[in-house]
Structures are given as structure tokens and as C-alpha cells.
Amino acid sequence: MDADADPDRHLIEARVDGAPVFSGHFLQAWRDRVRLPDGQLAQREYLVHPGAVMVVPLLEGADGQLRVVLERQYRYPVGQVLIEFPAGKLDPGEPVLACAQRELREETGYSAREWARAGCIHPVVSYSTEVIELWFARGLTPGARALDDGEFLDVFTATPDEVLAWCRDGRITDAKTVAGAFWLQNVLRGDWPLQWQEVVAETGAPGDVAKSAVPPEGAA
């Protein structure tokens, strides 16, 4: 392949070999040898992650004011309680939208009538394969939470303006939530329209696979 066909060829590192150095409950740490673009060898250490989803839940209050659903959760690695949008990792073979529905329902108790995929982010590209899918949800119905064993978090709501101010002031530092706030700002301004779809689960039970009631090209 010539340089014109692959304009990134001068940047790409080629894996030579490697092996896992640690296997945990859902993460694996790997150490690889790679060949650099100039032919030299180097070492790369990274975490293999199953992938995750994050949901920006839109809730219209009784006064007609738009609010979003957020969580406060203690994060052991940084030793802080952080403000975050609902999120969670994918189970093996789980469809992304089904995961988004499950995490929203389990963590907050809310189910959503309509969903829209926004995009994805790579939150820690220097040392992890993790990809987080970003979804928006609206038409929320409250219900009972079903937290995992050992999971403790508070659920609350805030206005989009409050969320943006907290990102600016450093009260929100979680990278995926900052990205979600940026996306929310552009959606509300009309700069980044979403393709909403009405989605139902077969029985409404946790873990059910989502089904579209209308095609993705429905009204934004």
C-alpha cells in the first residue's frame, strides 16, 4: 500500500508480540512489543476493556423546565465522590442499546420511551482499549432501582446550565460526563440534531433486549 492510499502509515505502530500480565474480574493488562514507524522496537502496556455506555437522560419537570438525571458515586481510584451521568460496562454479547436501557433502569429506576445514539468517545487512549457509547434518553418513567451488590450511589437532577457550570468550575471532572455535557449543549442549541427512535423492551424486565418501535430515521 503506498503512502497516498494510507496517509497515516508513517504514524502506525505494528504489534510484534505480547502477553497478558494480569487478568482481573473484567479488565486485562497486556504488555506488547511493537515496531515503530522508524523500525525500532518499543513496549506498550495497556488495559483491555469490554466497552461501556453512558446515558444522558432528559427529564421534563412539572414546570416544563428541562433537567437531566445525574448520579453521585464514590470512585475508589481517585478517592472522591464524583458527579456522573448514568453509565456501565457491556456484558458479553450484550447489544449496546440494551445495555444503556439496563444501566439507566438499574442505577436510576427510570425507563425511557425514546432513545438516540450520539456517538462514542475513547476516554483513556494512552493506556486502555475502552470505548464508551453515548446515548440520550427521553420520555422517562420512574421506577424501582436495582443496584448491583456493593454499589452505592445517589440519584438527583440538575438543569443543563447547572451541569455546564459545574464542568467549568471543576465540580464535574469525570471525562465521559464532561463529554456528555458538551454534546448536550450542542443538541439543545440545535447544532447537533439527534435521530430519536421509540424503543420498547419485550417485558420491561432488567436485561431485556430493546426493540425499535419506529425506524431510526424518525423525527429528531
Side-chain angles (χ1 to χ4, degrees):
M1 180 181 296
D2 59 36
D4 291 337
D6 186 4
D8 294 332
R9 186 176 181 181
H10 65 292
L11 301 173
I12 294 174
E13 302 173 357
R15 183 177 185 273
V16 175
D17 56 37
V21 294
F22 170 79
S23 293
H25 177 62
F26 75 96
L27 291 176
Q28 277 194 336
W30 278 73
R31 181 181 295 123
D32 288 358
R33 280 196 310 155
V34 300
R35 191 172 304 282
L36 302 177
D38 63 2
Q40 296 188 69
L41 293 176
Q43 184 172 280
R44 298 287 181 256
E45 296 177 349
Y46 59 98
L47 297 175
V48 176
H49 190 283
V53 298
M54 185 190 78
V55 182
V56 180
L58 307 179
L59 180 65
E60 187 171 327
D63 57 358
Q65 184 180 36
L66 181 68
R67 304 181 70 86
V68 293
V69 180
L70 295 158
E71 301 172 350
R72 296 178 68 252
Q73 185 173 10
Y74 181 77
R75 292 300 191 176
Y76 182 82
V78 296
Q80 296 180 45
V81 172
L82 299 183
I83 295 173
E84 307 174 38
F85 283 121
K89 68 178 180 65
L90 287 160
D91 288 337
E94 183 178 31
V96 174
L97 178 53
C99 179
Q101 288 185 299
R102 174 177 59 76
E103 290 293 344
L104 179 64
R105 183 169 51 243
E106 289 179 355
E107 293 188 354
T108 72
Y110 283 104
S111 298
R113 185 181 68 253
E114 293 182 281
W115 292 81
R117 181 185 182 274
C120 68
I121 60 171
H122 294 87
V124 281
V125 293
S126 60
Y127 62 86
S128 176
T129 65
E130 183 178 7
V131 178
I132 301 177
E133 292 270 345
L134 306 185
W135 285 77
F136 279 66
R138 68 185 183 187
L140 303 185
T141 301
R145 296 195 295 170
L147 297 176
D148 294 333
D149 290 340
E151 188 175 29
F152 303 90
L153 54 87
D154 291 337
V155 177
F156 69 104
T157 66
T159 67
D161 285 343
E162 287 174 324
V163 172
L164 291 169
W166 295 341
C167 291
R168 179 198 63 212
D169 297 340
R171 185 175 174 187
I172 291 178
T173 59
D174 172 59
K176 66 182 183 298
T177 301
V178 173
F182 174 66
W183 221 291
L184 174 63
Q185 181 183 49
N186 282 278
V187 167
L188 295 181
R189 285 198 309 220
D191 295 337
W192 294 3
L194 296 172
Q195 297 297 313
W196 290 95
Q197 53 182 312
E198 188 175 345
V199 177
V200 295
E202 297 214 3
T203 67
D208 281 343
V209 175
K211 298 192 298 181
S212 296
V214 297
E217 62 269 21

